[in-house]
Coordinates of all heavy atoms in Angstrom, one line a residue:
D661 N -1.1 45.4 -1.0 CA -1.4 46.0 0.4 C -0.1 46.6 0.9 O -0.2 47.6 1.6 CB -1.9 44.8 1.3 CG -3.3 44.5 1.0 OD1 -4.0 45.3 0.4 OD2 -3.8 43.5 1.5
E662 N 1.0 46.0 0.7 CA 2.3 46.6 1.1 C 2.5 47.9 0.5 O 2.9 48.9 1.1 CB 3.5 45.6 0.8 CG 3.4 44.3 1.6 CD 3.7 44.5 3.1 OE1 4.4 45.5 3.4 OE2 3.2 43.7 3.9
I663 N 2.2 48.0 -0.8 CA 2.4 49.3 -1.5 C 1.4 50.3 -1.0 O 1.7 51.5 -0.9 CB 2.2 49.1 -3.1 CG1 3.3 48.1 -3.6 CG2 2.3 50.4 -3.8 CD1 3.2 47.8 -5.0
Y664 N 0.2 49.9 -0.8 CA -0.9 50.7 -0.3 C -0.5 51.4 1.0 O -0.7 52.6 1.2 CB -2.2 50.0 -0.1 CG -3.3 50.7 0.4 CD1 -4.1 51.5 -0.4 CD2 -3.7 50.7 1.8 CE1 -5.2 52.3 0.1 CE2 -4.7 51.4 2.3 CZ -5.5 52.2 1.5 OH -6.5 52.9 2.0
F665 N 0.0 50.6 2.0 CA 0.3 51.2 3.3 C 1.6 52.0 3.2 O 1.9 52.7 4.2 CB 0.4 50.1 4.3 CG -0.9 49.6 4.7 CD1 -1.4 48.4 4.3 CD2 -1.8 50.4 5.5 CE1 -2.7 47.9 4.7 CE2 -3.0 49.9 5.9 CZ -3.5 48.7 5.5
M666 N 2.4 51.8 2.2 CA 3.6 52.7 2.0 C 3.1 54.1 1.5 O 3.6 55.1 1.9 CB 4.5 52.1 1.0 CG 5.3 50.9 1.4 SD 6.3 50.2 0.1 CE 7.4 51.6 -0.3
I667 N 2.0 54.1 0.7 CA 1.5 55.4 0.2 C 0.6 56.0 1.2 O 0.6 57.3 1.4 CB 0.7 55.1 -1.1 CG1 1.7 54.6 -2.2 CG2 0.1 56.4 -1.6 CD1 1.0 54.2 -3.5
Y668 N -0.3 55.2 1.9 CA -1.2 55.7 2.9 C -0.9 55.0 4.2 O -1.5 54.0 4.5 CB -2.7 55.4 2.5 CG -3.0 55.9 1.1 CD1 -3.0 55.1 0.0 CD2 -3.4 57.3 1.0 CE1 -3.4 55.6 -1.2 CE2 -3.7 57.8 -0.3 CZ -3.7 56.9 -1.4 OH -4.1 57.4 -2.6
P669 N 0.1 55.5 5.0 CA 0.5 54.8 6.2 C -0.6 54.7 7.2 O -0.7 53.7 8.0 CB 1.6 55.7 6.8 CG 2.1 56.5 5.6 CD 0.9 56.7 4.7
S670 N -1.6 55.6 7.2 CA -2.7 55.6 8.2 C -3.9 54.8 7.7 O -4.9 54.7 8.4 CB -3.1 57.0 8.6 OG -3.5 57.7 7.5
G671 N -3.8 54.2 6.5 CA -4.9 53.5 6.0 C -5.9 54.4 5.3 O -5.6 55.4 4.8
A672 N -7.2 54.0 5.3 CA -8.2 54.7 4.7 C -8.4 56.1 5.4 O -8.1 56.2 6.6 CB -9.6 54.0 4.7
S673 N -8.9 57.0 4.7 CA -8.9 58.4 5.2 C -10.2 58.7 6.0 O -10.2 59.7 6.6 CB -8.8 59.4 4.0 OG -9.9 59.2 3.1
F674 N -11.2 57.9 5.9 CA -12.4 58.2 6.6 C -12.3 57.9 8.1 O -11.5 57.0 8.5 CB -13.6 57.5 6.0 CG -13.7 56.0 6.4 CD1 -14.4 55.5 7.5 CD2 -12.9 55.1 5.6 CE1 -14.4 54.2 7.7 CE2 -13.0 53.7 5.9 CZ -13.7 53.3 6.9
Q675 N -13.0 58.6 8.9 CA -13.0 58.4 10.4 C -14.4 57.9 10.8 O -15.4 58.4 10.3 CB -12.7 59.7 11.1 CG -11.3 60.2 10.7 CD -10.2 59.4 11.2 OE1 -10.3 58.7 12.3 NE2 -9.1 59.3 10.5

Side-chain angles (χ1 to χ4, degrees):
D661 283 347
E662 294 292 333
I663 298 175
Y664 177 82
F665 285 106
M666 290 175 60
I667 301 175
Y668 305 99
S670 60
S673 60
F674 73 94
Q675 301 291 330

